[in-house]
Amino acid sequence: MSYDAKPEHKFTFGLWTVGNTGRDPFGSPTRETLTPVQLVRMLAEQGVYGVNFHDNDLVPIDASPAERDRIVTDFRQALNDTGLVVPMATTNLFSDPVFKDGAFTANDPKVRAYALQKTIRAIELGVELGATVYVFWGGREGTETDSSKNPLDSAKRFRDALNFLCAYVKAQGYDLRFALEPKPNEPRSDIYLPTVGSMLGFITTLDHPEMVGLNPEVAHEHMAGLNFMHAVAQAWDAGKLFHIDLNDQLFGRYDQDFRFGSVMPKQAFYLVRFLESVGYSGSRHFDAHAYRTADYDDVKEFVRGCTRTYLILKEKAERFNQDSEIQSLLSEIQADQGDYAYLSSGYSPEAVNRLNAEAFDRAAMNRRRLPYERLDQLTIELMLGAR
Ligand code: GLT
Ligand code: MN
Ligand code: MN
């Protein structure tokens, strides 16, 4: 079986991911800067489907309108030459010093207004290049000291901004949905709406909740010590899995953004198995960085590594589904004679009467075997290539 990426796999990368030059809080870049056009060509050579960007990954923040148009023309030409598409776009509301106290939740109303103007322009850029998903990662939307902001004010400001932008998109008639990306901390000490669950709750308070969903990221839920697959399942269950950021991250560390599946492959296996089994049809976006030690040949290895690992895990998930020993264990564990089907149609006085008449033998119930050790070992052996 080939593990080579093809456009039909819908693998995407951000300009900021493969274009990352290895800068970190303690050190300068280790790789030269490549242009967006060079990055598009590199991704296309690796069989990638699409490329995503922040406004300023493509157009520098101080570019003149003429420079902007020239950059967009060259970029569009590279997309046409390679067949790459732009499924998602987003705004950089975190790098410029003006956003030191946040963008939509900044205390200064002028900063909030600028954030709104910048986002409208970035939406225009994204739509112009074909994006249908628009991501909001509020990296600076938080605090170091809770003396500075009331979280209720911040929630209102963030809600007002999203309501304004949803109404703008509707008024323009764009085919664009918003995907909110939670992260618990870094670069702020505490970022508002830190997890998938908090974002899901917040979306229900918006004017146009149907337009707004989630962009969960492996690393971000792992930073919070949470089970990413469970978070993704909750977003899916709510009809809100609009996009996904794949990478890897050990619990309790700084924001690592490692190559997909590189440090917690078992979690990655369950995630891929989930996405493939429910028929998730959106982009498989890799929001990861190559190691700071990498040169651009090694960055290509990083790209191939992300996509190959996804495809290998997808194949492993298929094997899991076909493995007769695993499947017979699962059938035994889930066996159901239909005795309690009367409870699945919900409450009724008859159901309660019948339930009240049941005599449950707890000791006998506890004797039903649940060979999860065996099941997990089989899963591990399958993953490690021993079956
Ligand atoms: C930044 C962040 C990512 C977000 C990007 C989108 S930017 O790299 O760490 O998780 O997805 O704004
Ligand atoms: Mn991300
Ligand atoms: Mn991240």
Side-chain angles (χ1 to χ4, degrees), residues 16 135 137 181 215-217 220 245 247 257 285 287:
W16 72 93
V135 162
W137 173 65
E181 179 177 343
N215 179 36
E217 173 170 317
H220 298 177
D245 277 5
N247 55 14
D257 284 341
H285 174 72
D287 187 9

Side-chain angles (χ1 to χ4, degrees), residues 10-305:
K10 292 207 166 171
F11 292 134
T12 65
F13 286 80
L15 285 180
W16 72 93
T17 64
V18 276
N20 177 283
T21 54
R23 177 187 288 115
D24 73 13
F26 303 94
S28 312
T30 56
R31 297 183 280 271
E32 72 273 27
T33 302
L34 298 189
T35 64
V37 168
Q38 287 173 308
L39 295 168
V40 165
R41 296 218 177 95
M42 183 209 289
L43 290 173
E45 278 164 23
Q46 306 305 327
V48 166
Y49 167 71
V51 61
N52 305 317
F53 54 79
H54 300 86
D55 49 355
N56 305 137
D57 298 338
L58 187 58
V59 181
I61 195 165
D62 290 323
S64 68
E67 281 163 349
R68 175 203 189 271
D69 291 347
R70 184 185 48 75
I71 290 167
V72 172
T73 305
D74 291 350
F75 189 68
R76 192 193 292 283
Q77 186 63 48
L79 296 175
N80 290 343
D81 292 346
T82 57
L84 249 67
V85 294
V86 174
M88 177 271 262
T90 183
T91 331
N92 186 326
L93 295 173
F94 44 89
S95 294
D96 195 272
V98 75
F99 299 124
K100 65 190 176 193
D101 187 34
F104 302 132
T105 66
N107 269 327
D108 184 344
K110 198 164 193 164
V111 173
R112 301 203 294 274
Y114 172 59
L116 213 48
Q117 185 205 60
K118 191 173 195 290
T119 303
I120 286 173
R121 291 183 181 171
I123 286 175
E124 293 296 328
L125 179 66
V127 168
E128 191 178 335
L129 288 160
T132 55
V133 175
Y134 201 84
V135 162
F136 291 80
W137 173 65
R140 301 278 174 199
E141 312 290 14
T143 60
E144 283 72 42
T145 169
D146 281 331
S147 309
S148 65
K149 289 180 195 167
N150 176 337
L152 294 178
D153 293 339
S154 300
K156 180 179 184 312
R157 291 169 182 171
F158 192 44
R159 180 180 307 115
D160 287 350
L162 285 172
N163 286 341
F164 191 101
L165 293 165
C166 281
Y168 174 78
V169 165
K170 279 176 109 61
Q172 305 304 307
Y174 294 150
D175 171 23
L176 192 68
R177 298 194 298 172
F178 290 174
L180 310 183
E181 179 177 343
K183 187 178 184 184
N185 57 270
E186 208 180 343
R188 296 308 291 263
S189 178
D190 289 287
I191 299 177
Y192 294 123
L193 302 169
T195 62
V196 166
S198 5
M199 283 291 187
L200 283 171
F202 174 74
I203 288 170
T204 65
T205 72
L206 298 174
D207 286 350
H208 300 288
E210 72 290 347
M211 271 183 72
V212 185
L214 263 290
N215 179 36
E217 173 170 317
V218 179
H220 298 177
E221 301 296 300
H222 281 195
M223 286 173 76
L226 299 174
N227 182 315
F228 184 66
M229 190 270 278
H230 291 189
V232 167
Q234 194 188 354
W236 177 266
D237 189 51
K240 292 296 184 190
L241 191 64
F242 287 9
H243 199 263
I244 193 163
D245 277 5
L246 302 171
N247 55 14
D248 212 352
Q249 168 85 35
L250 289 173
F251 288 6
R253 302 279 171 104
Y254 65 97
D255 183 11
Q256 295 180 306
D257 284 341
F258 281 146
R259 189 178 75 256
F260 180 60
S262 60
V263 290
M264 296 179 78
K266 192 179 181 190
Q267 282 78 358
F269 166 74
Y270 288 126
L271 174 66
V272 171
R273 184 166 159 257
F274 178 83
L275 293 174
E276 295 300 322
S277 72
V278 297
Y280 169 75
S281 62
S283 297
R284 275 77 172 157
H285 174 72
F286 296 102
D287 187 9
H289 301 152
Y291 302 143
R292 188 162 182 265
T293 42
D295 61 10
Y296 278 107
D297 281 337
D298 214 25
V299 172
K300 291 179 191 168
E301 292 296 332
F302 152 85
V303 171
R304 276 195 288 279

